[in-house]
């Protein structure tokens, strides 16, 4: 690919965005801050990230999920970095596992609403992929000022324990290492796990702490006697292992995981990986700084899939969506990607890039059905502004064809992994397997934008609504005031389309370096391969 001024500008834009990403992640990694970390160390306790580092296999891949959970969401409460929980997909004793570690430096590990959502997401990943789960428990329980947003509803705190029970029934191993407080309703989590380990002197489990016990029944008792490690190992029998240190506790977790039996795999095809035919480092210069500008998505794909490249399906038909078979790190995949260049359809008519037309939707639906028939995992590369609008598309049945594609995506039984490369607008987000359509993993590049429509269109629409409202009250708007209002609306709307806004709310699992995409897709398929159960593919009723 020729290196020109535009390529260099695009690369600079991505590099700056990645530098900003790293800076923000470094700050998040401090949790509640340096003073809170020092206090943790004074108690002879490691931080959540230090525990993970000790537990994980050396030099193995760790995919952190939800690092930006709660980002800029709880300013009045002092913030909640990473949702107060460090979590991800990693290797312990050679086994791919889901690991969740409460961060005690963040409000004593208390559960915010986003904490519950993040923990439920991790349990969902474990259930979908039949992965063992390790809980590193150190939490003061529900964050009481926000209890109404975390306690009673279906997707709130109680769902965690329901999932504990369901996973146990599914045969999914769950290990709980209690390394600090485990209070009130949270006490059920380790006891509903398969095995419970406690650290002497720091780990404690009880439904009510000493203060509440005294207030409720007048009994005076200390933490260790009430619910410490020796109490639950020697008296109640609740715990299974008493450990003198955190290191001993984590070493025991490694031993337990290392002895797990092996189950059949799904059988997704993999051969020895080979490098892409084009240099993956050049990915950084392909995506335009201006998200409205066209580019060739095949240039992205050629730097992501193993050589010799993509075997395109219906290459000359429905050109605004690319479909094809290939391999990523040796894994066989089916790729569905939005094409952003201006293309000609089979009739010689020009079609805008990034828009899904009737023929594109029809092609994608058929391809998705084929991948399900062949048991080939699907990878969606999103840069979509939506479906084509206007009388011609409506008369041709764009809603009908779009519904076929959505139907195929929704009913797909093979694993789906979604990467939001650029725009992800409106119904295009749905058809290209957005969060609502259960991708096993969903990642966003720093260039990702997620919204119901583009910022310019949305801002002008909202402006007209506001102006009409003011005029109905007899108020006239001057041009300068109208421009100021438009700028305010645009800035507010654009702030809600960033990948950080999406990651904070767990609409995406992580914001990733484009150069890491290939590795993360491979790790996702490896996780999916652990679940041998693939249902039969059936679609609902749709118009043909």
């Amino acid at each position: 690919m020729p290196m020109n001024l535009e390529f260099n500008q695009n690369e600079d834009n991505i590099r700056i965005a990645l530098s900003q990403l790293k800076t923000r992640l470094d700050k998040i990694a401090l949790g509640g801050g340096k003073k809170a970390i020092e206090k943790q160390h004074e108690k002879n306790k490691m931080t959540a990230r230090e525990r993970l580092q000790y537990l994980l296999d050396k030099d193995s891949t760790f995919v952190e999920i939800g690092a930006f959970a709660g980002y800029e969401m709880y300013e009045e409460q002092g913030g909640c970095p990473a949702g107060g929980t460090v979590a991800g997909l990693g290797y312990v004793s050679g086994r791919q596992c889901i690991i969740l570690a409460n961060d005690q430096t963040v409000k004593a590990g208390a559960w915010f609403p986003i904490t519950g959502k993040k923990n439920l997401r991790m349990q969902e990943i474990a259930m979908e992929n039949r992965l063992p789960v390790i809980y590193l428990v150190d939490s003061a329980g529900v964050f009481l000022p926000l209890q109404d947003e975390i306690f009673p509803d279906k997707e709130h705190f109680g769902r965690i324990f329901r999932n504990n029970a369901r996973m146990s029934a599914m045969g999914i191993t769950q290990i709980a290492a209690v390394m600090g407080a485990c209070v009130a309703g949270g006490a059920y989590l380790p006891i509903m796990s398969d095995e419970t380990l406690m650290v002497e002197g720091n780990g404690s489990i009880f439904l009510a702490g000493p203060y509440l016990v005294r207030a409720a029944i007048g009994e005076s008792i200390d933490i260790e006697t009430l619910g410490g490690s020796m109490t639950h190992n020697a008296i109640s029998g609740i715990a299974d292992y008493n450990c003198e240190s955190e290191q001993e506790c984590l070493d025991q977790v490694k031993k337990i995981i290392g002895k797990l039996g092996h189950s059949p795999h799904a059988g997704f095809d993999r051969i020895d990986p080979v490098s892409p035919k084009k240099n993956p480092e050049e990915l950084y210069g392909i995506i335009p700084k201006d998200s409205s500008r066209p580019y060739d998505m095949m240039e992205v794909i050629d730097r992501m899939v193993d050589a010799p490249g993509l075997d395109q399906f219906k290459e000359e038909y429905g050109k605004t969506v690319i479909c094809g078979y290939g391999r990523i790190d040796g894994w066989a995949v089916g790729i569905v990607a939005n094409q952003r260049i201006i293309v000609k359809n089979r009739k010689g008519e020009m079609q805008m890039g990034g828009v899904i037309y009737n023929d594109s939707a029809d092609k994608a639906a058929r391809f998705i059905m084929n991948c399900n028939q062949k048991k080939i995992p699907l990878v969606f590369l999103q840069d979509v502004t939506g479906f084509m609008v206007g009388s011609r598309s409506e008369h041709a049945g764009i809603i009908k064809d779009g519904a076929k594609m959505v139907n195929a995506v929704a009913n797909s039984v093979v694993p789906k992994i979604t990467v939001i490369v650029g725009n992800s607008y409106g119904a295009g987000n749905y058809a290209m397997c957005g969060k609502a359509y259960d991708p096993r993993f969903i990642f966003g590049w720093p260039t990702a934008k997620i919204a119901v429509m583009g910022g310019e269109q949305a801002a002008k629409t909202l402006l007209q609504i506001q102006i009409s409202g003011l005029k109905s009250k007899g108020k006239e708007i001057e041009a300068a005031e109208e421009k100021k209002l438009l700028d305010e609306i645009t800035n507010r709307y654009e702030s809600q389309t960033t990948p950080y806004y999406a990651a904070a709310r767990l609409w995406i699992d992580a914001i990733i370096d484009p150069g890491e995409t290939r590795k993360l897709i491979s790790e996702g398929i490896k996780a999916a391969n652990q679940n041998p159960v693939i249902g039969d593919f059936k679609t609902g009723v749709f118009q043909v």
Side-chain angles (χ1 to χ4, degrees), residues 463 466-468 470-471 474-483 485:
L463 176 66
Q466 287 196 26
I467 290 175
S468 296
L470 291 170
K471 286 184 176 179
K475 296 181 180 179
E476 291 295 326
I477 305 295
E478 295 182 359
E481 189 176 352
E482 182 176 325
K483 184 182 184 304
L485 193 56

Side-chain angles (χ1 to χ4, degrees), residues 7 52 161 217 348 374 406 414 430 445:
F7 182 97
L52 273 172
F161 315 130
I217 63 173
K374 298 173 182 178
V406 169
V414 295
Y430 301 158
W445 286 6

Side-chain angles (χ1 to χ4, degrees), residues 29-45:
L30 293 174
K34 293 182 179 179
K35 288 185 178 180
I37 292 173
E38 289 172 3
K39 287 182 179 179
Q40 190 85 335
H41 290 162
E42 287 170 7
K43 297 175 184 176
N44 202 28
K45 295 169 69 176

Side-chain angles (χ1 to χ4, degrees), residues 243-420:
C243 305
E244 293 184 359
S245 67
E246 293 196 1
Q247 289 82 358
E248 181 185 331
C249 181
L250 295 171
D251 286 338
Q252 186 62 40
V253 172
K254 294 178 187 181
K255 292 177 184 177
I256 295 170
I257 295 297
K259 293 181 177 66
L260 295 182
H262 293 268
S263 301
H265 289 172
F268 301 125
D269 188 64
R270 192 183 195 189
I271 61 175
D272 291 337
V274 295
S275 300
K277 67 178 182 180
K278 294 185 179 180
N279 185 3
E281 283 292 316
E282 294 174 354
L283 277 173
Y284 302 106
I286 295 172
I287 306 302
K289 181 177 180 180
D290 180 353
S291 63
S292 66
R293 289 183 59 81
Y295 65 93
D296 189 353
M297 181 62 85
M298 279 303 303
E299 294 292 339
V300 173
I301 294 171
D302 284 342
R303 289 162 177 80
M304 194 175 295
V305 302
D306 296 12
L310 194 70
D311 183 13
Q312 285 205 53
F313 174 81
K314 293 184 182 291
E315 184 174 358
E316 301 304 319
Y317 181 76
K319 288 189 172 184
T320 64
V321 172
I322 297 168
C323 297
Y325 303 103
R327 291 188 182 274
I328 292 180
D329 196 34
W331 293 103
V333 296
I335 291 180
V336 181
N338 303 113
Q339 177 57 289
R340 286 303 307 267
I341 58 174
I342 306 299
V343 297
K344 289 184 179 181
N345 64 16
R346 68 190 192 284
K347 297 178 181 179
E349 300 165 328
M350 300 301 292
Q351 296 183 329
M352 293 188 295
V355 179
I356 302 175
Y357 287 76
N358 299 72
D359 52 359
S360 303
D362 181 68
K363 176 174 84 170
R366 176 65 182 274
F367 180 72
I368 291 165
M369 293 171 72
N370 281 352
C371 287
N372 277 271
Q373 182 86 349
K374 298 173 182 178
K375 307 301 183 195
I376 299 175
L378 283 158
V379 174
F380 291 84
L381 302 178
Q382 284 197 18
D383 194 344
V384 58
T385 53
F387 285 88
M388 190 58 191
V389 297
S391 60
R392 185 172 180 180
S393 290
E394 296 291 358
H395 295 170
I398 187 65
I399 299 174
K400 172 191 68 177
D401 292 322
K404 284 195 292 187
M405 184 176 175
V406 169
N407 201 319
V409 172
N411 286 294
S412 179
V413 294
V414 295
K416 298 168 291 191
I417 297 175
T418 300
V419 181
I420 302 176

Side-chain angles (χ1 to χ4, degrees), residues 89 91 95-96 125-132 262-271 330-332 375-377 413-417 440-441 521-534:
L89 182 69
Y91 292 86
R95 295 294 292 268
Q96 202 175 30
I125 293 172
M127 287 189 281
E128 285 181 333
N129 301 291
R130 299 292 177 100
L131 296 172
H262 293 268
S263 301
H265 289 172
F268 301 125
D269 188 64
R270 192 183 195 189
I271 61 175
W331 293 103
K375 307 301 183 195
I376 299 175
V413 294
V414 295
K416 298 168 291 191
I417 297 175
R440 294 290 178 97
F441 298 92
I521 290 173
S522 177
E523 287 296 315
I525 298 174
K526 184 173 182 180
N529 199 42
Q530 307 303 308
N531 186 353
V533 180
I534 302 177

Side-chain angles (χ1 to χ4, degrees), residues 156-192:
H156 283 177
F157 193 62
R159 190 78 170 183
I160 304 288
F161 315 130
R162 176 263 189 192
N163 286 349
N164 289 143
R166 291 294 297 273
M167 283 191 284
S168 184
M170 294 168 67
I172 297 172
T173 297
Q174 299 172 83
I175 306 297
V178 181
M179 315 183 84
C182 186
V183 185
Y188 288 103
L189 185 146
I191 312 312
M192 296 186 75

